[in-house]
Amino acid sequence: MKLKKNVKLKEIFDTVVIFRRSLIFQTKEFFQNSTLHGVRYIAETGRPVGEKFMWFCFTSIGAVTALVIIMSLWEKFQTNPTITGLDTDFHNQNVVFPTTVVCPEIAFDHDRAFEVALSQLADNDYSLAGYIVPFLELLPSLSYETFNEAAVIASSVEMEAVHQKTLRQWAFESVINCEDVLTECKYRDEPIKCCEAFKPVYTEHGYCFAFNSRFQSTEDADINSGSPHDLYETDKKWALFFVPNSTVKIYIFSNEEYFGQDFNPQIEWSENEVVEVRISKKNTYTTDDARQLSIGQRKCIFHDEIKLKYFPEEYTFSSCMKECRMKKAIKLCKCLPPFYKPIANVKMCGLNDLDCLTDYRNNITNIKDCMQCELSCSKTVYNIEKLIKNIERPDAPGVLVEFLTWPIIRYKREVLFGWVDLLVSFGGIASLFLGFSLLSGVEIIYYFTLRACCMVYKNRQELEEIEERIQNQPPPPINMTLGMKSYTAPIVVTEKQPLSAAEKISSPPSNDKPPDYNDIGGRRRKADKDYTAFAKSMYKTPKTLPSYADATTTNWQYGHYLP
């Protein structure tokens, strides 16, 4: 068994050696017959060493230059393949009024909270209800920053009945009414009912009221709030006016986004203030040609390209970030915070989970764990161009959100450098510096795979003979002398016997000359030697150059073989 194994290993080793010899032969063949510029002169036999080195330098410089330019083009293709410019075709664009969210500083109703605490949690114990009320009043404004405070209050009071409902349901039991937050509203300079236009939303900023929001919150779900409010160029006023009843924070953003922790308030309104906000709209959309690029290249995601698990309607940056925080909260604390929409088969966080949410608050809100969220390829941004605050008109307080001008500017992002452009650029650079093409690459693969293997299969015996001859040749002697030694065999002239007179008469005149002399100029020059038939039939039979031996001895000194 061991003997068979050794025989098999020896066969494999011999095959590898023969294949190596075949690769050497194919390398020389490729260099001599390749269409790449300059490489044939490197391997051509008989060329001076200086000329070979010169062509090697030229070819290397061309290859390095082509590689540097190709790498710069590849980096451009990966980092900046798109261009954004103005789009003047805006005649049929749909102008949607931005979502305006009003978050009151006091989001609870004290009377409702006390009544709920007294009847449902304190069993009509007024003293105990007074301790429970602060906990209920904190729930409508619950956020990642107030989890610790809610846990401290809950730990100081015995509330056995609080587990009968979720924290989200208890929050809706004590929230402030819309009528206590907004008193007067106008849209497009026409009066509207505030509580019909502003829908309640329970988010990471607490309990708020949103105009033109894509969803509204209930105790058990977040539901769609209907079609958005559009604007028309013929409207009397492109504005929304409302009068808050207490200190509020105001957020203005696109109707496409989901309101959450990613947004910061643009306006903080106090009582008896008159605030005028002039806004402008900037919409950027991406053409469908950009779908050929990867998400990392174009740095945006189409609305139908990725389906989110908890927000499957369409992709937006805010919904992706919100889902990322939801997943981390479920993973770390095995529950969902109450200000997120309820999800089937996922437990809502209760009183006992507040400590866990407090401990992992930084992990959940860390945006570095949500790097997979890219901007949407269709994005709308509202910028505040002018903000005017006036406290000298207490008779007419309120907030006015109005377009500074009609939105007539839109930006288009399209592909500047696609796959076809990249291929053409690569081909042009490689052809300019090296004469390289796609078929040249196929030729390289052919020479060093199929052709080399076929030679091992068809000419194995000849390759074995060449390898054996190479292995049996003794190494050349080392010449330690400082003199110059010729690499041509010396001319040996043998002394001839003198001819008789009859032989001189009968013999024709001799025309013999040494082999290295010609009729014109004496000794033949090295450049006059013929190398045209040097590589003929190299594939069929092994070729060896004649050995150059010393004329006075038979010891081998210099030799060269050709497979």
Side-chain angles (χ1 to χ4, degrees):
M1 186 70 180
K2 186 175 181 181
L3 181 60
K4 291 182 179 180
K5 185 176 181 181
N6 293 335
V7 171
K8 188 175 181 180
L9 290 175
K10 186 177 183 305
E11 292 178 356
I12 296 175
F13 178 76
D14 293 341
T15 303
V16 171
V17 172
I18 296 302
F19 183 72
R20 171 181 168 273
R21 183 58 53 194
S22 177
L23 286 177
I24 295 175
F25 178 81
Q26 297 303 330
T27 301
K28 193 171 186 65
E29 280 283 292
F30 173 76
F31 271 78
Q32 289 179 341
N33 302 312
S34 175
T35 58
L36 298 180
H37 298 334
V39 297
R40 71 167 66 92
Y41 306 118
I42 301 174
E44 187 174 356
T45 306
R47 292 281 175 182
V49 177
E51 184 178 350
K52 289 185 177 182
F53 180 74
M54 179 187 69
W55 281 108
F56 174 77
C57 292
F58 288 161
T59 306
S60 300
I61 292 173
V64 171
T65 305
L67 182 62
V68 170
I69 298 176
I70 286 174
M71 292 302 295
S72 64
L73 292 174
W74 177 256
E75 184 180 1
K76 178 183 177 181
F77 177 69
Q78 291 295 328
T79 58
N80 194 22
T82 61
I83 186 172
T84 302
L86 284 174
D87 181 24
T88 56
D89 186 16
F90 55 84
H91 303 288
N92 296 324
Q93 68 168 322
N94 186 29
V95 178
V96 179
F97 196 84
T99 299
T100 305
V101 179
V102 179
C103 295
E105 185 179 19
I106 300 176
F108 60 87
D109 186 333
H110 178 76
D111 294 336
R112 290 183 62 185
F114 185 81
E115 182 180 352
V116 170
L118 182 65
S119 60
Q120 300 184 34
L121 296 175
D123 196 15
N124 295 322
D125 186 346
Y126 284 85
S127 177
L128 181 59
Y131 290 105
I132 297 176
V133 165
F135 174 76
L136 294 179
E137 292 177 344
L138 187 61
L139 292 181
S141 58
L142 194 64
S143 64
Y144 285 107
E145 287 72 22
T146 58
F147 278 140
N148 187 27
E149 184 180 354
V152 171
I153 296 176
S155 62
S156 61
V157 183
E158 293 293 335
M159 296 182 293
E160 295 295 335
V162 76
H163 301 288
Q164 296 176 359
K165 297 181 181 179
T166 63
L167 294 181
R168 182 185 178 94
Q169 292 173 332
W170 288 118
F172 274 84
E173 292 283 352
S174 57
V175 294
I176 192 171
N177 292 322
C178 175
E179 292 79 4
D180 297 330
V181 178
L182 301 169
T183 57
E184 181 184 353
C185 299
K186 289 183 180 180
Y187 179 58
R188 296 188 294 190
D189 206 24
E190 296 179 0
I192 59 174
K193 294 182 179 180
C194 293
C195 295
E196 291 183 0
F198 284 82
K199 306 296 183 181
V201 289
Y202 191 35
T203 67
E204 294 162 314
H205 289 283
Y207 194 80
C208 306
F209 297 92
F211 175 81
N212 204 24
S213 174
R214 65 185 304 166
F215 73 96
Q216 66 181 48
S217 301
T218 63
E219 291 186 8
D220 302 322
D222 283 351
I223 60 177
N224 191 355
S225 58
S227 58
H229 295 280
D230 296 335
L231 283 179
Y232 302 96
E233 195 171 0
T234 56
D235 291 335
K236 292 188 296 182
K237 206 169 187 179
W238 310 315
L240 170 68
F241 176 79
F242 57 93
V243 182
N245 204 21
S246 60
T247 303
V248 296
K249 293 180 179 180
I250 301 172
Y251 302 80
I252 301 173
F253 54 92
S254 172
N255 174 263
E256 301 169 352
E257 303 291 343
Y258 281 87
F259 182 53
Q261 191 176 4
D262 309 296
F263 299 90
N264 295 319
Q266 287 95 334
I267 308 166
E268 294 187 5
W269 186 87
S270 300
E271 295 183 10
N272 300 326
E273 279 187 348
V274 178
V275 178
E276 296 181 4
V277 184
R278 305 284 192 260
I279 61 175
S280 64
K281 175 186 176 182
K282 293 182 179 179
N283 175 254
T284 302
Y285 74 97
T286 307
T287 59
D288 287 338
D289 293 340
R291 292 180 182 268
Q292 64 178 296
L293 304 174
S294 65
I295 295 175
Q297 288 175 290
R298 62 175 183 261
K299 295 180 177 60
C300 72
I301 299 175
F302 286 94
H303 66 91
D304 59 345
E305 190 172 13
I306 293 179
K307 291 293 183 182
L308 299 176
K309 183 177 181 180
Y310 302 139
F311 301 95
E313 297 85 6
E314 63 180 27
Y315 176 88
T316 62
F317 174 75
S318 57
S319 60
C320 181
M321 294 294 292
K322 200 169 185 178
E323 179 171 297
C324 179
R325 291 190 290 271
M326 293 169 68
K327 288 182 177 179
K328 288 192 288 184
I330 296 173
K331 179 181 178 180
L332 296 173
C333 295
K334 304 298 186 294
C335 65
L336 191 66
F339 41 69
Y340 293 129
K341 67 175 184 178
I343 300 174
N345 302 322
V346 178
K347 186 190 81 169
M348 295 296 293
C349 292
L351 198 62
N352 299 330
D353 300 311
L354 294 177
D355 291 332
C356 178
L357 293 173
T358 302
D359 296 336
Y360 290 104
R361 177 176 67 89
N362 293 331
N363 300 78
I364 296 173
T365 58
N366 187 7
I367 62 174
K368 292 183 179 180
D369 298 331
C370 305
M371 298 303 292
Q372 74 278 4
C373 294
E374 293 282 357
L375 294 176
S376 176
C377 288
S378 178
K379 189 173 184 290
T380 303
V381 177
Y382 293 92
N383 295 327
I384 296 179
E385 302 293 341
K386 187 182 294 186
L387 177 61
I388 302 174
K389 277 192 176 185
N390 191 353
I391 59 175
E392 297 178 357
R393 296 166 53 191
D395 55 326
V399 179
L400 177 68
V401 180
E402 184 179 13
F403 278 101
L404 184 64
T405 58
W406 179 250
I408 59 175
I409 297 178
R410 187 168 61 168
Y411 297 95
K412 177 174 68 173
R413 180 163 49 191
E414 54 189 346
V415 176
L416 175 66
F417 202 71
W419 282 105
V420 176
D421 304 295
L422 184 70
L423 183 62
V424 171
S425 300
F426 281 5
I429 296 301
S431 177
L432 175 64
F433 288 95
L434 296 173
F436 185 86
S437 66
L438 290 179
L439 289 181
S440 299
V442 175
E443 190 178 41
I444 293 174
I445 298 174
Y446 163 71
Y447 262 97
F448 295 103
T449 55
L450 181 62
R451 189 175 172 116
C453 295
C454 289
M455 188 176 184
V456 173
Y457 175 74
K458 292 184 177 180
N459 303 82
R460 185 183 183 94
Q461 183 177 358
E462 297 176 4
L463 290 174
E464 288 177 351
E465 292 175 358
I466 295 173
E467 185 66 27
E468 183 179 358
R469 186 162 57 250
I470 297 299
Q471 295 295 334
N472 294 333
Q473 284 180 352
I478 301 176
N479 187 3
M480 302 298 293
T481 63
L482 298 178
M484 299 294 291
K485 188 174 183 63
S486 175
Y487 283 81
T488 60
I491 301 173
V492 179
V493 181
T494 58
E495 185 178 356
K496 296 184 178 180
Q497 296 295 330
L499 300 176
S500 64
E503 290 174 341
K504 289 181 181 181
I505 296 172
S506 61
S507 300
S510 176
N511 196 26
D512 294 339
K513 293 182 181 179
D516 287 345
Y517 280 80
N518 54 25
D519 293 333
I520 299 174
R523 183 178 296 274
R524 178 182 294 175
R525 293 174 300 171
K526 186 175 182 180
D528 294 333
K529 294 183 180 180
D530 187 12
Y531 295 95
T532 56
F534 181 73
K536 288 184 177 180
S537 304
M538 292 175 62
Y539 187 80
K540 296 181 180 180
T541 59
K543 299 291 184 179
T544 58
L545 288 177
S547 299
Y548 296 97
D550 197 344
T552 59
T553 178
T554 58
N555 292 335
W556 182 89
Q557 288 187 341
Y558 301 98
H560 182 68
Y561 76 94
L562 270 183

